[in-house]
């Protein structure tokens, strides 16, 4: 034996395996975004302080009289100790270490003579799926104990004494999570498989079982009894052992409220239905899940077919396996529907292609090996049946040629029957029933809920390694026996495969670099980052701490459910929420009440008042979670019996007026924040907080109930404060397209007539009428410039143009919207296409005798503002008369191009007055958000023409937007003393009433 070859191969294989384990560790090193951690920390703290496990729920008032079976108690103690040592970073490190240990343990369930390259290839998709949920939750320990079960049972035949480790593992598992029931289930599958195999062998041989066989079954029976008894070794004894059976209906029944409400209990089919396949199909975790489901049947089919055919067909099987693997891989990639047409067509018909391949191979081998031909034909049918069933179960429909038969029960029955025959043949040709049962059971669990994907990934990676590793090793032995009879060298002495191992090592090292460089999660479909901290802007710590202030109600109703654990962490047990995120704790009626109140608040149903009163008028903490939650906040903000006493970037706190005095906890005044605290940093003061608060403020302003009275000043205050937060966000990063979109919406809504009066671009510029639309359009244009693939930005820009009958510009923006928005409804797409065809069929006839001004007017009236703007550019001169400049500049402002409008005004001749020109230039700078230049030009116009009404209107509105209450009030006073239009008069009176309360405030 060449020792150097063995040594080099050994170290290369070791490096590959170590790289895999390092990747498993790094996959767990991402920002902590799981909200359950906080109530787990609270539980661990309570256990350490009281020296015992809880019995009755100490944390919520909705379940205070209910027994709490805290099977997570040992995990919670470990968690709180880690938190005391190193905070959130230590918690993340704990989860990453345990997750890596689980993977490393499962990795040992293999034989040394199996190719390392094969092990890596089997585990790569499983590792990707494993990364979906490696949070430092109790289930990460369940993952480790499940790996221990798999390894022990894998080694049970050669090391039967290892079976006695299972009761010890079960004791630890029974005190960490309710998933400990998987231990006895896996052991039961193992015993069932071994018992079936023994009975089959006994029936074939018709001999009595040897004494050693009896000893093995006695040992298995004793171990099984010990494992069952180990489930009772917990602080709650029989109640703790039965705990998983209480949870089971909550997580499996599709009509259960828990499964509908909690995201992690959703099935893959639910996620595809809610996100559409084109969106969810780009998620790497979903693709890895689908690929593993598809390839698992293949790992049983090909080894069985090879054993039926004999070793002479080794090369054929490699070619066939490669072809089917390529088909399955391409079929998985086609789920996103964004690739070339050939990929989509191939992916839609993977199942029929597998069927064709199976029968073609069977026909070719019908004379060589009839048994192999039968197995192969059934293998193709079974693989096609599995793919068809997966599509029906996950996508809700068939694909390609099978799409029409998706609703046909006969097709499903035909495939099911072929599957049953294929399974029988697989078992006939010495496939392991335990592996088949294991893969089937965990595939079923993965199809029920997303939270089961990590367990499925661990089992799928292990089973794939077992099936393919054992098969490839057997083929290598058969090949060597044919080429070198009587001589079977140790696989480690062979240099075959070393180049592949080197290539895989390079790939794994690149994966490690991607993870450490925080680039891996850019492609997974989840907004994660490689870091040892909690996810920014995920948890409303400041609002939760404020809610526990002395003098506030000691009961709270907290929405959403992800913030309840944060409230627990900061305030329990002295301050209690109605319910929190513990799935095992609330009764069905409690959870129904919690969800019903949330629905009533968000739909502004009056039943919420009586329901909240029955709970004792608790404090309400609402996290900002979108327009629906904003509707609840708007309802409470305008309710005569409730007050908002806290508002930050993540949450708002409301209290009943009769329970909390105004002098102790004053109501939030958003206008006061704008005029006196516009420069204050956000709470929390972290990146993107300003963007979050801007979004929350805008959603709140847009959600006031129609029946609410006297909300106009409050809405204006919200929008002005939102503009402040928007400026903070732009100062942080001006390239945020979502910030520009929100700013555009704020400007549009600040116009009181934005929903009813739409300026026509053919009219001359009137600042009080046109300014808000010009500002909104400019912001939307900035959004698409910063992020050209942002579908929302193009949509808002198209809507902005469409409301002012600028059809040509609307269609240009809509074309981009259609390109980037895969979720656009078919009806909307058809409407836009019909409008495009109708507009394209109209050819405006121009009179050659028309002047440029008349031509522009004609084009704009035809809905072609962009063509009109181009006509202006084509015939541009050094100077032009003021009337034409007014018309052209107004068009540019309506298009959201203030720089071009400013150029027109600057170079125009015969301006009626220099003060008017300064006002126009100030408006252009204002739209561009160059506020200093705008103020400078307005001040210049004031000095030149103090009697010009537009000067004071512009100064008042600009000072109001910038938060200068005294200056805005003075400008309003001066402007109202002049002759004004009705619109100018109304605007200044409204602004004056808004700013007067804040003029003399220190």
């Amino acid at each position: 034996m060449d020792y150097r070859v063995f040594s080099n191969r050994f170290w290369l294989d070791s490096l590959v395996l170590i790289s895999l384990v390092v990747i498993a560790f790094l996959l767990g090193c991402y920002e902590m975004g799981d909200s359950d951690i906080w109530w787990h920390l609270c539980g661990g703290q309570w256990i350490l302080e009281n020296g015992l496990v809880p019995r009755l729920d100490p944390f919520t008032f909705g379940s205070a009289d209910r027994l709490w079976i805290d099977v997570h108690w040992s995990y919670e103690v470990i968690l709180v100790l880690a938190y005391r040592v190193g905070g959130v970073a230590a918690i993340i490190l704990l989860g990453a270490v345990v997750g890596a240990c689980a993977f490393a343990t499962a990795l040992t369930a293999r034989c040394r003579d199996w190719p390392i390259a094969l092990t890596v290839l089997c585990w790569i998709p499983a590792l990707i799926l494993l990364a979906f949920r490696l949070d430092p939750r109790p289930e990460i320990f369940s993952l480790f104990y499940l790996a221990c079960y798999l390894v022990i049972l894998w080694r049970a035949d050669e090391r039967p004494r290892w079976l006695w480790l299972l009761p010890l593992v079960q004791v630890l598992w029974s005190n960490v999570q309710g998933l400990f029931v998987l231990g006895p289930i896996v052991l039961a599958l193992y015993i069932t498989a071994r018992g079936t195999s023994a009975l089959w062998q006994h029936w074939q041989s018709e001999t009595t079982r040897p004494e050693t066989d009896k000893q093995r079954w006695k040992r298995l029976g004793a171990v099984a009894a010990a494992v069952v008894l180990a489930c009772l070794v917990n602080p709650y004894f029989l109640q703790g052992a039965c705990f998983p059976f209480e949870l089971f209906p909550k997580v499996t029944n599709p009509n259960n409220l828990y499964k509908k409400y909690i995201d992690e209990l959703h099935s893959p089919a639910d996620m595809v239905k809610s996100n559409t396949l084109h969106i969810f199909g780009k998620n790497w975790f979903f693709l890895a899940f689908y690929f593993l489901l598809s390839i698992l049947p293949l790992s049983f089919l090909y080894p069985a077919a090879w054993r039926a055919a004999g070793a002479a067909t080794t090369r054929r099987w490699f070619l066939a396996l490669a072809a089917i693997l390529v088909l399955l891989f391409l079929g998985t990639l086609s789920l996103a529907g964004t690739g070339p047409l050939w990929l989509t067509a191939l992916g839609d018909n993977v199942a029929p292609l597998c069927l064709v391949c199976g029968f073609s191979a069977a026909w070719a081998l019908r004379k060589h090996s009839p048994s192999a031909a039968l197995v192969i034909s059934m293998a193709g049918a079974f693989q096609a049946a599995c793919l068809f069933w997966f599509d029906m179960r996950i996508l809700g429909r068939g694909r390609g040629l099978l799409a029409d038969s998706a609703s046909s029960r006969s097709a499903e029955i035909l495939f099911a029957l072929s599957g049953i025959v294929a399974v029988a043949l697989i078992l006939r040709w010495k496939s392991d029933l335990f592996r088949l049962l294991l893969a089937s059971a965990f595939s079923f669990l993965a199809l029920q809920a997303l939270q089961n994907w990590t367990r499925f990934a661990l089992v799928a990676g292990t089973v794939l390694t077992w099936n393919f590793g054992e098969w490839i090793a057997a083929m290598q032995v058969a090949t060597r026996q044919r080429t070198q009879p009587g001589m079977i060298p140790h696989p480690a002495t062979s240099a075959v495969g070393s180049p592949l191992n080197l290539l895989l090592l390079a790939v794994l090292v690149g994966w490690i670099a991607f993870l450490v460089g925080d680039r891996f999660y850019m492609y997974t479909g989840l907004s994660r980052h490689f870091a040892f901290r909690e996810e920014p802007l995920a948890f409303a710590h400041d609002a939760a701490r404020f809610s526990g202030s002395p003098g506030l109600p000691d009961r709270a109703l907290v929405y959403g459910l992800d913030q309840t654990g944060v409230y627990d962490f900061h305030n329990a047990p002295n301050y209690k929420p109605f319910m929190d995120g513990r799935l095992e704790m609330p009764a069905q009626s409690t959870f129904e009440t919690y969800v019903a109140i949330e629905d009533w608040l968000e739909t502004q149903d009056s039943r919420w008042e009586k329901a909240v009163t029955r709970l004792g008028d608790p404090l309400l903490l609402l996290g900002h979670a979108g327009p629906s939650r904003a509707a609840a906040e708007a309802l409470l903000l305008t309710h005569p019996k409730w007050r908002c006493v806290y508002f930050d970037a993540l949450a708002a706190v409301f209290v009943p007026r009769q329970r909390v005095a105004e002098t102790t906890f004053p109501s939030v005044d958003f206008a006061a924040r704008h005029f006196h605290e516009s420069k204050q940093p956000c709470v929390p003061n972290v990146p993107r907080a300003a963007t979050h608060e801007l979004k929350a403020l805008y959603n709140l302003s847009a959600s006031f109930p129609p029946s609410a009275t006297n909300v106009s000043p409050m809405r204006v205050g919200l929008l002005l404060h939102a503009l402040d937060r928007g400026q903070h966000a732009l100062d942080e990063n001006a390239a945020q397209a979502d910030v520009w979109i929100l700013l555009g919406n704020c400007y549009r809504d600040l116009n009181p007539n934005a929903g009813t009066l739409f300026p026509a671009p053919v009219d001359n510029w009137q600042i009080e009428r046109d300014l808000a639309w010009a500002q909104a359009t400019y912001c939307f244009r900035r959004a698409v410039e910063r992020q050209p693939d942002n579908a929302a930005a193009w949509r808002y820009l198209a809507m902005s143009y469409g409301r002012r009958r600028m059809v040509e510009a609307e269609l240009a923006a809509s074309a981009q919207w259609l390109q980037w928005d895969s979720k656009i409804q078919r009806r909307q797409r058809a409407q836009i296409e019909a409008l495009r065809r109708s507009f394209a069929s109209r050819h405006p006839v121009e009179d050659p005798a028309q002047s440029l001004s008349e031509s522009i007017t004609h084009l704009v009236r035809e809905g072609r503002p962009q063509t009109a703007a181009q006509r202006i550019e084509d015939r541009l001169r050094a100077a032009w008369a003021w009337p034409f400049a007014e018309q052209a500049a107004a068009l540019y402002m309506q298009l959201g191009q203030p720089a071009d409008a400013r150029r027109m005004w600057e170079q125009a001749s015969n301006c009626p007055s220099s003060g008017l020109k300064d006002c126009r230039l100030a408006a252009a700078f204002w739209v561009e958000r160059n506020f200093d230049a705008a103020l400078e030009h307005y001040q210049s116009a004031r000095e030149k023409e103090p009697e010009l009404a537009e000067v004071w209107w512009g100064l008042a509105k600009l000072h109001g937007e910038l938060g200068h209450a005294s200056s805005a009030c003075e400008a309003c006073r001066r402007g109202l003393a002049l002759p004004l239009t009705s619109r100018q008069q109304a605007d200044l009176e409204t602004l004056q009433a808004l700013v007067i309360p804040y003029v003399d405030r220190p």
Side-chain angles (χ1 to χ4, degrees):
M1 179 188 299
D2 187 349
Y3 178 79
R4 289 176 299 174
V5 172
F6 171 78
S7 178
N8 291 338
R9 180 67 181 274
F10 172 79
W11 286 111
L12 179 58
D13 290 353
S14 299
L15 282 174
V16 171
L17 294 178
I18 290 172
S19 298
L20 274 178
V21 176
V22 170
I23 289 172
F25 169 77
L26 294 176
L27 286 172
C29 299
Y30 56 85
E31 295 169 331
M32 190 187 79
D34 184 72
S35 59
D36 289 350
I37 299 296
W38 303 109
W39 65 259
H40 280 304
L41 282 171
C42 196
Q45 183 66 32
W46 191 94
I47 293 171
L48 291 179
E49 290 177 354
N50 293 274
L52 48 85
V53 295
R55 295 289 175 175
L56 297 181
D57 180 19
F59 299 142
T60 66
F61 71 87
S63 304
D65 58 344
R66 288 179 59 82
L67 174 66
W68 181 19
I69 302 175
D70 188 13
V71 294
H72 316 95
W73 70 271
S74 64
Y75 156 78
E76 290 169 350
V77 171
I78 296 172
L79 190 72
V80 76
L81 292 176
Y83 185 77
R84 290 178 179 180
V85 171
V88 171
I91 290 177
I92 295 173
L93 186 62
L94 171 68
V97 169
V98 177
C101 289
F103 171 73
T105 301
L107 201 59
T108 62
R110 55 181 297 275
C111 293
R112 290 183 59 190
D113 60 344
W114 293 355
I116 292 296
L118 180 69
T119 301
V120 173
L121 293 174
C122 289
W123 271 108
I124 282 178
L127 258 181
I128 293 175
L129 184 58
L130 200 67
F132 172 71
R133 194 175 161 92
L134 284 178
D135 301 288
R137 299 165 57 102
E139 66 185 51
I140 203 73
F141 286 88
S142 291
L143 207 63
F144 172 69
Y145 295 135
L146 175 61
C148 292
Y149 258 82
L150 295 177
V151 172
I152 291 170
L153 294 176
W154 165 256
R155 302 289 183 184
D157 290 337
E158 61 184 49
R159 293 184 174 86
R161 293 184 179 180
W162 281 26
L163 288 170
W164 289 108
L165 293 174
L166 293 180
L168 176 61
V169 172
Q170 191 62 42
V171 168
L172 297 174
W173 199 350
S174 299
N175 290 275
V176 79
Q177 197 194 16
L179 285 175
F180 69 81
V181 71
L182 292 178
I185 289 175
V186 170
L187 182 58
L189 295 179
Y190 178 82
I191 294 175
T192 300
R194 293 296 178 264
T196 303
S197 177
L199 289 174
W200 176 258
Q201 292 176 3
H202 175 67
W203 178 76
Q204 283 187 319
S205 61
E206 296 183 356
T207 59
T208 58
R209 287 170 289 184
E211 189 65 26
T212 55
D213 220 22
K214 294 181 180 179
Q215 292 177 355
R216 184 182 67 174
W217 282 106
K218 286 182 179 179
R219 182 183 294 109
L220 269 177
V223 169
V227 165
V228 172
L229 292 175
C231 296
L232 301 173
V233 183
N234 65 81
Y236 306 94
F237 194 56
L238 187 59
Q239 288 177 316
C242 295
F243 172 72
F245 302 101
E246 296 179 12
L247 284 185
F248 187 73
K250 294 183 178 181
V251 301
T252 56
N253 186 353
N255 298 319
N256 195 294
L257 185 61
Y258 297 90
K259 193 170 181 65
K260 293 180 179 179
Y261 191 86
I262 301 174
D263 289 343
E264 67 187 45
L265 301 183
H266 289 175
S267 69
D270 295 333
M271 297 304 294
V272 169
K273 188 183 301 182
S274 61
N275 291 280
T276 76
L277 183 60
H278 289 288
I279 301 297
F280 204 52
K282 298 176 184 177
N283 186 298
W284 277 20
F285 300 122
F286 176 70
L287 295 179
F289 166 69
Y290 189 90
F291 181 70
L292 286 172
L293 278 178
S294 302
I295 200 176
L296 269 174
L298 192 68
S299 71
F300 291 96
L301 296 171
Y302 266 82
W306 178 81
R307 284 188 287 267
T313 58
T314 300
R315 183 167 297 179
R316 297 180 185 178
W317 293 129
F318 267 121
L319 293 175
L321 176 62
I324 298 295
L325 281 175
V326 169
L327 277 176
L328 295 179
F329 181 73
L330 294 178
T332 301
L333 292 181
S334 70
L335 290 174
T338 56
L341 292 178
W342 67 266
L343 178 62
T344 303
L346 186 145
D348 286 345
N349 296 284
V350 168
L353 287 174
C354 288
L355 194 64
V356 170
C357 289
F359 281 105
S360 299
W363 179 262
L365 291 172
R366 69 189 187 282
K367 295 181 179 179
H368 172 76
S369 175
S371 298
L374 177 62
V375 175
I376 293 170
S377 61
M378 288 298 99
F382 184 42
Q383 185 70 37
C386 290
L387 293 173
F388 176 75
W389 190 81
F390 294 153
D391 285 345
M392 292 292 296
R393 187 68 179 83
I394 299 173
L395 310 184
R397 56 178 174 79
R399 292 198 288 169
L401 297 175
L402 298 177
D404 295 334
S405 61
S407 59
S408 173
R409 298 298 299 175
S410 59
E412 287 188 88
I413 293 173
L414 179 62
F415 283 128
L417 291 176
S418 65
I420 293 173
V421 175
V423 169
L425 290 173
I426 288 171
L427 296 177
R428 161 68 179 83
W429 291 102
K430 300 179 182 179
S431 290
D432 193 330
L433 178 60
F434 172 57
R435 301 175 194 176
L436 187 60
L437 293 175
L438 198 64
S440 302
F442 281 86
S443 296
F444 171 78
L445 291 176
L447 289 169
Q448 300 304 307
L450 301 182
Q451 67 170 359
N452 295 321
W453 277 10
T454 52
R455 272 87 72 185
F456 167 73
L458 188 77
V459 169
T462 303
V463 171
L464 286 176
T465 305
W466 286 349
N467 288 345
F468 284 128
E470 191 174 73
W471 174 39
I472 296 299
M475 284 197 297
Q476 287 179 340
V477 171
T479 301
R480 294 189 188 102
Q481 287 179 340
R482 289 197 311 271
T483 57
Q484 297 176 335
M487 180 179 179
I488 305 178
H490 194 278
T493 65
S494 174
V496 177
S498 294
L500 179 58
N501 289 356
L502 284 171
L503 177 61
L504 288 174
L505 180 61
V507 170
L508 296 179
V509 171
W511 193 355
I512 292 173
F514 251 53
L515 282 166
V516 176
D518 197 24
R519 298 182 61 84
F520 172 73
Y521 291 110
M522 293 171 57
Y523 308 99
T524 59
L526 293 182
S527 56
R528 286 180 181 172
H529 295 283
F530 178 81
F532 292 90
R533 61 171 183 265
E534 69 178 70
E535 184 179 327
L537 303 170
F539 308 116
H541 291 291
D542 298 279
R545 279 190 289 262
F546 175 86
S547 301
S549 302
L552 290 178
D554 59 358
R555 290 187 170 193
L557 191 56
V558 182
Y559 294 105
L561 199 60
D562 55 339
Q563 301 298 344
T564 56
V566 182
Y567 184 92
D568 279 338
F569 177 72
H570 291 290
N571 303 310
N574 297 324
Y575 289 73
K576 302 176 186 290
F578 175 60
M579 65 165 281
D580 54 29
R582 287 171 292 166
L583 180 64
E584 69 271 16
M585 204 59 256
Q588 179 78 14
S589 58
T590 303
F591 198 12
E592 288 174 352
T593 300
Y594 179 83
V595 174
I597 293 175
E598 182 180 25
D599 290 340
W600 292 335
L601 281 169
E602 293 180 352
T603 58
Q604 302 179 349
D605 189 317
S606 60
R607 285 179 289 179
W608 72 270
E609 294 186 60
K610 291 183 179 179
V612 173
T613 301
R614 284 194 295 268
L615 298 181
D617 284 330
L619 170 147
L620 285 174
L621 190 158
L622 305 182
H624 309 315
S628 59
R629 192 66 53 72
E633 294 176 357
L635 176 64
L636 292 167
L637 198 61
T638 56
H639 197 280
K641 296 182 180 180
W642 288 83
R643 297 190 298 113
C644 177
V645 293
Y646 183 89
F647 193 99
D648 66 13
L650 299 177
V653 176
F654 298 86
V655 296
R657 289 184 183 274
Q658 73 275 15
R659 294 198 61 182
V660 181
E662 177 78 29
T663 54
T664 308
F665 293 95
S667 301
V668 174
D669 189 335
F670 295 100
R673 288 188 174 188
H674 168 66
F675 288 111
H676 296 288
E677 302 174 7
S678 61
K679 303 299 182 183
Q680 291 291 326
C682 295
V683 178
N685 189 14
V686 297
R688 293 277 295 174
T691 304
H692 275 245
E693 190 168 359
L694 164 62
K695 185 176 181 180
L697 290 165
Y698 170 73
N699 287 337
L700 181 55
S701 71
S703 302
F704 283 113
S707 59
T709 59
N710 196 29
V711 298
S712 181
M714 188 180 300
R715 179 183 286 116
V716 172
L718 284 165
L719 290 171
L720 289 175
H721 187 42
L723 294 180
D724 298 333
R725 298 300 96 180
Q727 186 59 53
H728 277 271
L730 293 180
D731 291 342
E732 180 183 298
N733 182 4
Q736 300 178 85
D738 54 343
V739 174
W740 286 107
I741 294 172
L742 289 167
L743 283 174
N745 287 329
C746 288
Y747 280 124
R748 183 199 60 215
D749 289 0
L750 274 171
N751 181 355
N753 299 311
T756 55
L757 297 179
F758 308 110
V762 71
D763 299 329
N764 287 341
W765 175 255
Q766 292 182 22
I767 187 170
E768 65 272 16
R769 181 196 62 192
D770 302 338
L771 177 66
W773 283 106
Q775 290 173 310
T777 308
Y778 172 77
C779 289
F780 297 146
R781 286 177 63 93
R782 293 283 289 180
V784 299
E785 289 170 6
R786 298 295 185 178
Q787 192 176 351
D789 61 347
N790 191 303
W794 287 109
R795 172 175 172 263
Y796 281 110
L797 184 60
M799 291 171 58
S800 175
Y801 288 138
R803 289 185 177 182
R804 289 169 288 160
R805 302 183 298 280
M806 305 169 74
V807 183
E808 183 181 39
E810 177 191 9
L811 290 176
S814 296
Q816 296 294 326
W817 175 26
L818 292 175
Q819 176 181 351
W820 298 112
D821 191 354
S822 58
K823 297 180 69 174
I824 186 172
Q825 296 181 4
R826 184 176 299 176
R827 178 176 56 82
Q828 290 177 298
R829 188 182 296 271
Q831 289 174 347
I832 294 172
E833 291 296 332
L835 179 61
R836 182 188 61 79
R837 290 192 297 270
S838 174
F839 184 77
S841 65
R842 300 201 308 266
H843 301 285
V845 179
E846 299 184 41
D847 186 353
Q850 283 181 333
S851 66
L852 178 58
S853 178
E854 292 172 335
S855 176
I856 292 170
T857 301
H858 179 74
L859 286 170
V860 171
R861 283 176 176 168
E862 288 288 331
R864 300 176 184 269
Q866 290 176 314
T867 303
Q870 186 60 46
R871 185 70 52 84
I872 295 171
E873 295 297 326
D874 292 341
R875 299 175 61 179
L876 210 57
R877 295 175 298 173
W880 41 82
W882 180 259
F884 173 71
E886 278 276 75
Q887 181 187 25
L891 174 61
Y892 280 125
M893 293 286 274
Q894 295 284 5
L895 285 170
Q897 301 171 221
D900 292 320
R902 188 172 69 252
R903 174 168 51 90
M904 299 297 298
W905 278 320
E906 282 177 340
Q907 300 179 14
S909 61
N910 303 323
C911 178
S913 69
S914 59
L916 181 61
K917 177 180 283 191
D918 280 332
C919 285
R920 295 293 190 266
L921 295 176
F925 281 118
W926 190 354
V927 171
E928 287 183 291
R929 298 182 60 79
N930 188 344
F931 302 120
D932 292 337
L935 278 175
E936 182 180 347
H937 280 80
Y938 272 128
Q939 289 165 358
S940 174
R942 180 186 61 187
E943 294 173 359
K944 295 174 182 177
E945 291 189 66
E947 301 302 317
L948 186 60
E950 185 175 334
V951 172
W952 299 107
W953 187 96
L955 278 172
K957 298 290 283 187
L958 182 54
H959 281 302
E961 181 178 331
L962 297 177
H964 307 156
S966 299
S967 300
C969 187
E970 176 62 18
C972 287
R973 186 186 64 80
R974 295 285 297 273
L976 289 171
L978 299 173
L980 302 171
T981 66
S982 59
R983 173 66 183 273
Q984 291 173 339
Q985 179 90 16
D987 287 348
L988 292 183
E989 288 176 351
T990 301
L991 180 60
Q992 187 178 46
L994 177 68
V995 301
I996 280 177
Y998 310 106
V999 170
D1000 298 325
R1001 184 179 296 184

